[in-house]
Amino acid sequence: MSNGNFVSILDSSLRDGAQGEGISFSLQDKISIVKALDNLGVSYIEAGNPSSNPKDAEFFKKAKSLSLNNAKLVSFGSTRRKGVSCATDEAVNALLAAETPVVSVFGKSWLAQVKKILHVTPEENLDMIRETVAFLTERGRTVLFDAEHFFDGWKQNGEYALKTLEAAVEGGASIVTLCDTKGGAMPLDVYEPVFTVVRRLVRKTEIGIHTHNDAGLAVANSLMAIHAGASHVQGTMLGFGERSGNANLSTIIANLELKLGYKCLPDGRISDLTPVCRKIAEITNISLDQGMPYIGMNAFAHKAGMHTDAVLKDSTAYEHIDPAAVGNNRVILISEVTGRSAIIEKLHSTFPEITKESPVAAKIVSRIKAMEKDGYQFEGAEGSFNLLARKILGKYKPFFSLQYYKVIGEQHVEENPATSFAQIKISVNGETTITAGEGLGPVHALDVALRSALEKFYPVVRTMRLTDFKVRVLDSKDATAAKVRVLVESTDGINMWTTVGVSTDLIEASWIALVDSFEYKLSVSS
Amino acid sequence: MSNGNFVSILDSSLRDGAQGEGISFSLQDKISIVKALDNLGVSYIEAGNPSSNPKDAEFFKKAKSLSLNNAKLVSFGSTRRKGVSCATDEAVNALLAAETPVVSVFGKSWLAQVKKILHVTPEENLDMIRETVAFLTERGRTVLFDAEHFFDGWKQNGEYALKTLEAAVEGGASIVTLCDTKGGAMPLDVYEPVFTVVRRLVRKTEIGIHTHNDAGLAVANSLMAIHAGASHVQGTMLGFGERSGNANLSTIIANLELKLGYKCLPDGRISDLTPVCRKIAEITNISLDQGMPYIGMNAFAHKAGMHTDAVLKDSTAYEHIDPAAVGNNRVILISEVTGRSAIIEKLHSTFPEITKESPVAAKIVSRIKAMEKDGYQFEGAEGSFNLLARKILGKYKPFFSLQYYKVIGEQHVEENPATSFAQIKISVNGETTITAGEGLGPVHALDVALRSALEKFYPVVRTMRLTDFKVRVLDSKDATAAKVRVLVESTDGINMWTTVGVSTDLIEASWIALVDSFEYKLSVSS
């Protein structure tokens, strides 16, 4: 039964989410995600379909020894096949064998599908639902019934769709979930059927909602169902899933808890939403959409001059919630449209002596503006930004000076693959050194050569390595003579920094970004 | 006035969208996007803020010569400053100087902000709105008024928020747009105020909606406003924008036209939605979210299993619309069957003799699959696709063979800028030639050298030139040793073709694409 303002959450990242393109979990991934979700405090974790996937069956075997604090594990499968008893149906027995406290059973609520796909009479479909739910309930399982295609069924034959729910309730289902399987429902199409179902089944079962994002409305449709009386939401924490994905639970939980007065998680857990979601993205090996509501890197990032001034004056003007409420942070981006005060704010956070009034502030701002006109972009290139400021502030002492570099790329048909060589000459405190490097491309070769030159003088560069490399062609209409901007991301195992270079020459642009990366590391280490 | 079921669309990709992280448009990018949007048929294109950004002012100067078929260009700016007249306000004059037929003026509707940020009396704010709109209207502009923070203002002091709209109407605003500036509104928070405003201002002006996606509800909130009587929607075609982005217009247009019975675009244009959106993503150089509703690569992708069988039996079971309605395609993942027939379909259109049964078809498909595994992508590289098919079909006779190329990039500190040289040796019908080229970068130098070698034998290459050059880093976690994919776009003044190269070596990848471009031209000319 619905308990006041509590909405139970079922995360299906490991089951429905695993249908998403490029998503594939190892057994260890699954266990790590279960732990992360349990920690956050969702009510149910739907972790697989033991009959359709041998890896899932193995997972459930392993999962028996897991002790969870908040969540209950759920195995997922279909109603029994036509013409057999539950006791002899392999898939139903696989659900029992999974030994999860909760079982989710899906069945058809769209009459057209009952005939076309299952090839059974409407009555046998109701029997299949009732008997399967009852079979599992009698064996001690809490049973959730997923009414597949409920909203399509509602349009075709609402009375029959309701009967499928009632069959599940007769079997003893604890929650009956209405699914927008195709993800095409509009918000107002969701409200009314849910409202009718809630009234019809009140005090007999809880009503849940399961939506997909094919019309960009999975979150909104889930909220509309809650407004209509549902008290259970299914989705995936990061919204991944087949096609356009499942309902994004991180967004739904934040909306329900912070905007609409519902409770979904144990007290205080909402402030872990961002770190838990980023951990799940890490384990799943997907790059999280930077703009993802509430939890994305840029969810509270501000770029525009006008806006950032206002945000700094009064954060309630451009932030719908305090980022800390979900464990996220405000970010001020530096860009061509950034106002002076945002740049100064950013400088101030690293060099507290710089204020709006410092004459050097104006100098830095105008230098940045000039470089931006030249194609530079310091947003996301904090390393270069910091280095530039140091140089203008007189806080930078050159570590080396370049005499020349030379890069040779060669392809002889007899040889494979093509090779690149670099030769550089630098001097450090009057001492000159020439080194060479070979690499998988010109930038790689330059990296190898520069690193080997600098290591002699600054052993600390051994701790750093490049982790990412991006090329953006500016004004690409000039084709091969166009300007390029290169971003290089580096790490020393503890910190990460990004640097930028711009030139019409790809090699020079890469070189500039590369040198900035080494200089940044040397600056902050000395 | 609202015209039956027509909803006008304002795309702000070039203005509000440019606030998004990592988004930066060149002048040429802006013009290309304006043309793409006009082609699709949106009503308004908000292209910049001429007073805040010198690049925008330059754009509007250039844009005067553009002749658009469907859309009207809009310049954007704020109401006059306090205590000055419109005639002496620089920003207002910059709006006039932009010489766009339509001007969008934003002003404050949230009383708290009027006091805290503008430091003016509530009455002066109303004067600022009324006078600015009137000043521009009197000078022949169609004026749209954007009521910033309208929904926050509504909560604090609804009467005052309404007065700001009335001031704009008194000034002659054609459309008054209610903005959820912070993006935090819930769907039911949008419906009621919009409904009230529509009733209050009916027959005096049109009502628009402008939402942000901070709560994952920008699309839903736009639809709720339409349900409440609004007839104008603002957003960005791909949903990019500051923080979590603006309302995604591609999703909204598809929902309104295909689900809710409204019209937003000229007849038949909706079926261009996917190609236009992908073109905008290309120009903006962002990788489109693969699951983006309606237009993403995976919006109609099905992973093998229960669903795909059902999709093949009956597509209405798992597809909320026919993908062709928005110019997209169904994709069956893993199951090679459909990928194969799509490739064959494509081949068949160029080489009609190739059918599903041709043994050569299987050969081409397996070669393409192998290359795709290697990082190639032939979507958008028709030139290379065509050339590859020719080669396997035996319809290609080599025009030249490479002995070697050598590229030298140099930077001596005394010299500026860095220079690149290329030397190549090729043979044509037993005759060998060595040429050299100098360029603004290694690819430019190779282009110059190869062109000069080929011209001796094939004068037709003089008619062609490269028009675009793009670099994508694949698997960028390997940093400078990562694989790169290079796309080269070429034209001979009549046709355009794109070719692709992949390698860990940036120079080699560029070389492959470059050679493909020349070979393609020579193949189709001979």
Side-chain angles (χ1 to χ4, degrees), chain B residues 323-335:
Chain B
V326 290
N328 206 341
N329 298 300
R330 179 186 308 155
V331 177
I332 303 287
L333 301 168
I334 297 170
S335 148

Side-chain angles (χ1 to χ4, degrees), chain A residues 85-153:
Chain A
S85 72
C86 288
T88 59
D89 187 288
E90 278 173 30
V92 174
N93 279 291
L95 285 173
L96 273 185
E99 290 188 30
T100 52
V102 184
V103 171
S104 183
V105 170
F106 77 93
K108 298 213 178 292
S109 288
W110 187 4
L111 189 56
Q113 284 256 309
V114 171
K115 294 170 181 170
K116 209 161 17 176
I117 306 288
L118 291 183
H119 307 294
V120 299
T121 62
E123 291 68 32
E124 177 157 13
N125 181 49
L126 298 179
D127 291 344
M128 285 158 65
I129 294 170
R130 190 186 309 101
E131 290 170 19
T132 310
V133 174
F135 181 83
L136 293 163
T137 308
E138 285 156 13
R139 280 152 188 82
R141 304 300 190 273
T142 297
V143 181
L144 317 182
F145 177 68
D146 278 10
E148 202 192 3
H149 284 307
F150 176 81
F151 294 94
D152 300 291

Side-chain angles (χ1 to χ4, degrees), chain A residues 113-256:
Chain A
Q113 284 256 309
V114 171
K115 294 170 181 170
K116 209 161 17 176
I117 306 288
L118 291 183
H119 307 294
V120 299
T121 62
E123 291 68 32
E124 177 157 13
N125 181 49
L126 298 179
D127 291 344
M128 285 158 65
I129 294 170
R130 190 186 309 101
E131 290 170 19
T132 310
V133 174
F135 181 83
L136 293 163
T137 308
E138 285 156 13
R139 280 152 188 82
R141 304 300 190 273
T142 297
V143 181
L144 317 182
F145 177 68
D146 278 10
E148 202 192 3
H149 284 307
F150 176 81
F151 294 94
D152 300 291
W154 180 263
K155 275 188 195 160
Q156 192 211 346
N157 187 332
E159 260 319 301
Y160 184 76
L162 275 169
K163 277 188 187 158
T164 63
L165 307 182
E166 284 168 342
V169 171
E170 286 156 24
S174 297
I175 304 179
V176 158
T177 298
L178 314 183
C179 302
D180 179 26
T181 306
K182 298 197 280 187
M186 297 290 106
L188 297 186
D189 294 343
V190 169
Y191 186 87
E192 191 255 333
V194 176
F195 188 75
T196 307
V197 168
V198 169
R199 268 201 309 194
R200 182 93 152 233
L201 299 180
V202 70
R203 275 190 289 273
K204 290 183 183 158
T205 191
E206 268 191 74
I207 305 302
I209 181 77
H210 176 118
T211 63
H212 288 258
N213 202 38
D214 297 78
L217 294 164
V219 168
N221 288 347
S222 301
L223 299 185
M224 291 308 274
I226 299 295
H227 287 309
S231 56
H232 172 76
V233 179
Q234 302 189 348
T236 60
M237 198 49 71
L238 307 178
F240 56 68
E242 206 177 17
R243 307 187 309 271
S244 296
N246 285 59
N248 186 314
L249 289 178
S250 60
T251 312
I252 291 171
I253 291 170
N255 282 335
L256 288 175

